Amino acid sequence: MDSSARNGRNRRVVIVKDRRSVWLALVAAAWALALPGCTVSKEVPPAVAAPPAPSRLSIPASGPVAVSLTPSINRPVSPDLLALGKRVYEKQCAACHGSDGRGEGEAAYLLYPKPRDFTAGKYALVSTWDRVPTDEDLFRTISRGMPGSAMPSWGHLTEEERWGLVHYVKSFTEKPWTVPASADPKSEGAMGQGVVRVPPEPPFTPEARARAIERYADACASCHGKTGRGDGTEVQKDDKGYPTRPRDLTLGVFKGTHDPATLYRRIVAGMPGSPMPMSDWAFGEDAWHLVHLVRSWSSDEQRARAEMLKFRIVARRVDRVPEHPDAGAWRLATPVNLHLMPLWWRTDRPEEVTVRALHDGRELALLLVWSDASADHTAMRPQDFRDAVAVQFALSPDPPFFAMGAKGQFVNIWMWKSERQADIDLPFHDLEAVYPNIGIDSYPNLARSPMEQPTRHALTIQSEAAFITGWGAGNIVSDPVRASAGEDLAAQGFGTLRARPLDDQAVNAQGVYRTGTYRVVLRRALRGSGERAVSLGPGSMVPVGFAVWNGSAGDRDGKKSVTIWQELWIEP
């Protein structure tokens, strides 16, 4: 039917026998035209109606994900629970603690302090006079992790899975233990048994503080230092002969929880397997005075930053994602402060990385901000290391081991490196910039005439790529003319990090450093290209983890500070 016929049909008068229906239809149309913003439209049949837009209320708000450290019930050992614990252990724990529980997994060489040897049955965090853990001690440690080490929080696991780990870890011990009924010491200097009872908390008066300082000087200062900074005895070893250091009590980093009752038991029971001895003499008010003194040397904020918490990051939808770290659009994104832990523990660590996320239905952009006292943007000399940041994405809702995946379970990694940014912002950093008198071979360049051929000191970008072997082979690390400081990588465990194919390198990154702070934007299309690329979509959630490298601290490869798995929600 041509357009004139259609127009003619539209102008025809439809004869309706029921005049009352016509009158009602006219009244309804008049009201619709009279109301602002209202229009008259045909009703779409239910079978072809568009699905309702997803509600923003379906996406939870940014912030910490609640985790319970205290079990709701104590689950006794059973074959099913042991089988569950074995499955979880092999997936999440064996990389550090080893499949046989001896603390010698494939990642152990990267970690300080070293992973616990479960076969010895010596656990640092105990609450008993007998210096053995209760099942609840183990449950709490698994749930919270151990700040001051590379032991992360596993609180995101179900309570049943954590109980499975408790009983499976206990099965490694060569000498099983039992916890007797609790009993206080019968006399001064005598030992109690079972769980250490915590007596009522006395007030921390000036007299109590003076008493605490006196007892601390007698029993604690030789290791922890006169002012609690961990600068007393510098040469210490744990029971396996590995070097260790006394805790700097002013940093607020406690391997066990920092609540007063737990610290009380830590002082009295000590930390088996470490140089921290039992202080049974302190049972009573002396231990309380020491608890108050130690807590007074750090703040609630410091102690909170040491906790490895899981957070939810919501990527808000905007008209267009920003490309620069200083763009005003970032004010629309809720900042989330993620806590970092160095795998090789040190006190001068980056404590937090602040993450903001935005998307426009086509691209996702992440803004990562962290403090660094120095800008390390070259890694040419053997003694130099770059600054860097990376985000890893799980490729399934059930993420693999948080340290770069596991065999057959890939993660997609977006990485920014400071020297790549310097090569873009400044003239390309060639070796001649660091070693001015270096001798450089020259090769023919087919893009130049014979008279223009370099004869000596041909810089990298003046050479033909075929003679710069990494560049000529398509290695993104060797490409001196890349337009982005970002890299798109994939890994399935330690030592497996690989660049994704050159055609699939779609991560754009830009970073700036000012006033002791890095601000880096990582951008990529929501839909991934090629194998092992994460694909995202509005209304979806993906597990993400973050890592920061501090070049001046010697960070490189596996020596870095990391987060546990977090949740990234893409707003509809």
Side-chain angles (χ1 to χ4, degrees):
M1 184 183 294
D2 61 21
S3 59
S4 60
R6 285 195 300 268
N7 290 338
R9 188 181 69 174
N10 291 339
R11 285 194 296 268
R12 292 173 188 166
V13 177
V14 179
I15 300 175
V16 182
K17 294 182 179 179
D18 189 348
R19 296 182 179 276
R20 184 172 180 272
S21 298
V22 173
W23 180 82
L24 290 174
L26 291 174
V27 171
W31 272 106
L33 293 173
L35 293 174
C38 293
T39 58
V40 180
S41 61
K42 293 183 178 180
E43 182 181 353
V44 180
V48 297
S55 170
R56 294 194 175 190
L57 296 178
S58 63
I59 299 294
S62 295
V65 177
V67 171
S68 175
L69 303 182
T70 304
S72 59
I73 59 172
N74 285 359
R75 292 178 183 260
V77 64
S78 68
D80 289 343
L81 209 52
L82 276 176
L84 175 61
K86 183 177 187 295
R87 291 195 299 272
V88 177
Y89 181 91
E90 289 174 347
K91 179 178 180 180
Q92 308 289 13
C93 313
C96 297
H97 293 281
S99 58
D100 58 359
R102 295 187 178 277
E104 298 173 357
E106 60 178 331
Y109 78 100
L110 296 169
L111 309 178
Y112 173 81
K114 294 301 179 184
R116 181 66 52 193
D117 178 357
F118 295 134
T119 64
K122 292 183 178 180
Y123 294 88
L125 306 181
V126 300
S127 62
T128 67
W129 291 100
D130 313 272
R131 308 199 81 197
V132 295
T134 65
D135 288 352
E136 190 169 332
D137 286 336
L138 295 178
F139 184 93
R140 286 174 175 269
T141 301
I142 291 169
S143 299
R144 176 179 178 262
M146 294 181 68
S149 77
M151 169 67 178
S153 164
W154 297 106
H156 62 279
L157 299 177
T158 66
E159 186 170 318
E160 186 179 18
E161 287 173 325
R162 283 177 275 169
W163 273 119
L165 283 175
V166 168
H167 294 298
Y168 187 68
V169 162
K170 288 176 64 178
S171 72
F172 285 118
T173 188
E174 296 169 349
K175 296 181 180 179
W177 69 88
T178 58
V179 178
S182 297
D184 288 348
K186 294 182 179 179
S187 61
E188 186 175 352
M191 292 284 292
Q193 70 175 25
V195 175
V196 175
R197 182 184 65 85
V198 179
E201 181 177 3
F204 195 45
T205 62
E207 293 76 19
R209 183 179 183 86
R211 172 69 173 176
I213 292 174
E214 177 185 343
R215 301 301 276 162
Y216 177 88
D218 290 341
C220 313
S222 60
C223 293
H224 291 284
K226 294 181 179 179
T227 57
R229 296 186 180 276
D231 52 0
T233 301
E234 295 186 359
V235 180
Q236 287 187 342
K237 294 182 179 180
D238 62 20
D239 280 10
K240 295 198 73 173
Y242 291 119
T244 185
R245 292 291 304 273
R247 178 67 59 211
D248 182 344
L249 301 173
T250 67
L251 298 178
V253 179
F254 298 95
K255 286 186 177 180
T257 56
H258 49 74
D259 66 273
T262 301
L263 285 178
Y264 184 99
R265 291 191 171 107
R266 193 77 57 246
I267 290 171
V268 173
M271 298 178 68
S274 79
M276 174 71 179
M278 171 178 275
S279 300
D280 52 290
W281 51 266
F283 180 72
E285 290 196 345
D286 277 345
W288 268 122
H289 298 332
L290 287 170
V291 167
H292 294 147
L293 178 67
V294 167
R295 282 176 57 87
S296 72
W297 286 339
S298 63
S299 66
D300 291 337
E301 290 76 14
Q302 285 177 292
R303 295 189 284 268
R305 286 197 298 269
E307 299 294 323
M308 295 305 298
L309 303 179
K310 185 175 184 178
F311 285 83
R312 183 179 299 113
I313 307 159
V314 176
R316 286 200 57 188
R317 186 161 192 153
V318 294
D319 292 335
R320 183 178 179 182
V321 296
E323 300 179 3
H324 195 275
D326 295 333
W330 289 114
R331 72 182 186 277
L332 302 174
T334 302
V336 179
N337 298 324
L338 304 179
H339 305 164
L340 293 162
M341 63 177 179
L343 298 180
W344 193 272
W345 183 263
R346 61 180 190 268
T347 56
D348 60 334
R349 71 194 194 281
E351 294 185 346
E352 293 180 327
V353 57
T354 301
V355 180
R356 289 177 169 87
L358 294 171
H359 82 97
D360 57 13
R362 300 174 300 276
E363 283 191 316
L364 170 71
L366 299 170
L367 174 62
L368 313 178
V369 180
W370 73 98
S371 298
D372 193 329
S374 61
D376 307 301
H377 57 268
T378 180
M380 294 184 185
R381 301 183 305 170
Q383 64 268 39
D384 293 336
F385 303 97
R386 69 174 81 86
D387 296 325
V389 70
V391 53
Q392 69 171 348
F393 297 84
L395 301 184
S396 65
D398 181 19
F401 184 55
F402 77 99
M404 299 176 63
K407 186 175 181 179
Q409 302 178 68
F410 281 88
V411 294
N412 185 199
I413 297 173
W414 303 354
M415 188 171 187
W416 172 91
K417 297 176 180 176
S418 59
E419 89 275 17
R420 300 291 174 211
Q421 189 69 56
D423 286 343
I424 295 173
D425 295 343
L426 303 170
F428 178 73
H429 282 193
D430 219 326
L431 279 173
E432 192 175 65
V434 180
Y435 301 104
N437 299 318
I438 192 173
I440 303 174
D441 293 333
S442 298
Y443 299 97
N445 190 333
L446 300 182
R448 296 172 178 266
S449 69
M451 299 298 297
E452 295 175 318
Q453 293 297 319
T455 58
R456 178 102 175 134
H457 297 303
L459 299 178
T460 299
I461 57 177
Q462 297 173 336
S463 300
E464 190 169 344
F467 298 107
I468 311 298
T469 53
W471 184 13
N475 188 334
I476 63 170
V477 176
S478 304
D479 186 352
V481 294
R482 295 184 63 215
S484 171
E487 297 176 6
D488 195 336
L489 313 163
Q492 56 174 334
F494 305 107
T496 66
L497 185 67
R498 299 290 185 274
R500 297 185 61 247
L502 192 61
D503 291 343
D504 294 331
Q505 291 290 318
V507 174
N508 293 298
Q510 185 169 4
V512 297
Y513 177 86
R514 294 192 189 97
T515 62
T517 301
Y518 274 111
R519 298 189 301 283
V520 174
V521 170
L522 291 163
R523 291 185 298 116
R524 203 211 68 182
L526 288 173
R527 186 175 181 83
S529 171
E531 281 189 301
R532 298 161 191 167
V534 64
S535 284
L536 308 166
S540 65
M541 187 281 287
V542 61
V544 294
F546 299 84
V548 171
W549 288 260
N550 182 358
S552 61
D555 286 355
R556 72 275 191 189
D557 301 328
K559 188 172 182 288
K560 57 191 174 184
S561 297
V562 303
T563 73
I564 58 176
W565 283 116
Q566 313 291 328
E567 294 180 357
L568 175 64
W569 290 78
I570 312 298
E571 190 176 69

